[in-house]
Amino acid sequence: MRRRRQDNQAADADQDARPLLVGLTGGIASGKSTVASMFAELGVPVIDTDMVAREVVEPGRPALDEIRCRFGDGVIDDSGRLDRAAMRKIVFADPAKRRELEAILHPRIRAETARQSRRCGGDYQLIVVPLLVESPMRDSMDRIVAVDVPESVQLARLLARDAESPAQAQAMIDAQASRAERLKIADDLIKNDGDLSATLQQVEALHHRYQALAARHKQ
């Protein structure tokens, strides 16, 4: 198993006591949430950084105040919450603004994810990080699994779910790391362009593999 952490001896001792960390990534609309739910049904602790991202921008949290100051009242809805659709239009149209939003959110997401990981326990944990290719969290993972679908499938799913036009759907895909970049960092792969039973079979096979790796990790 490839080990990514380069810590000192004291930190290594602490690392041995923690669960194996498996980072799950994949492009937008690849089915990461579906795959994560399958792992959760098998009893695996799952931490989804998209959910963490929603938590850190709840009303009253400092991140939401920073976003309002930087991007204006137009990204806050009538209930005082972040208007995600408005925010999406801004950041997917302007890479510089996307980086500004990430600078506000990502440190908080990493800190909250680490806090939840310390509480969750388990032989291994699944950490769902859509932007793992670009994230410093990549170095904390013992194993990386990518959920993979062709770009044509992503486009179709986005048009059915989130995007208002083919151009916006393509912009959302282009704003992330490429499919080739995700596959390059992956230790394991889940193909999710067929029926769900085929996806579940892949998840179950990897679950058994990660249990075995976790046992060796603790030795």
Side-chain angles (χ1 to χ4, degrees), residues 60-74:
R61 302 290 290 268
L64 186 62
D65 294 336
E66 284 193 41
I67 291 170
R68 185 196 292 266
C69 288
R70 174 61 190 86
F71 296 97
D73 291 338

Side-chain angles (χ1 to χ4, degrees), residues 31 34-35 38 157 191-203:
T34 297
V35 169
M38 291 177 176
R157 290 177 180 174
K191 302 290 287 184
N192 192 37
D193 55 348
D195 60 62
L196 290 180
S197 62
T199 301
L200 180 58
Q201 287 180 353
Q202 296 172 76
V203 167

Side-chain angles (χ1 to χ4, degrees), residues 74-149:
V75 298
I76 307 299
D77 66 21
D78 293 339
S79 69
R81 297 178 179 275
L82 182 65
D83 186 331
R84 296 181 180 281
M87 194 78 255
R88 259 199 313 269
K89 288 182 180 179
I90 293 171
V91 300
F92 283 119
D94 188 335
K97 287 184 170 58
R98 177 167 57 87
R99 289 190 291 270
E100 290 175 13
L101 179 65
E102 290 171 351
I104 294 171
L105 294 180
H106 285 188
R108 292 180 168 94
I109 292 170
R110 290 196 298 272
E112 177 61 18
T113 298
R115 187 187 72 81
Q116 292 187 19
S117 177
R118 289 191 294 270
R119 293 188 317 171
C120 282
D123 293 330
Y124 77 91
Q125 297 174 357
L126 194 75
I127 315 294
V128 184
V129 189
L131 304 180
L132 190 57
V133 170
E134 308 99 316
S135 173
M137 293 178 69
R138 173 179 164 186
D139 294 330
S140 300
M141 303 301 159
D142 300 296
R143 198 88 185 169
I144 293 175
V145 55
V147 181
D148 182 53
V149 298

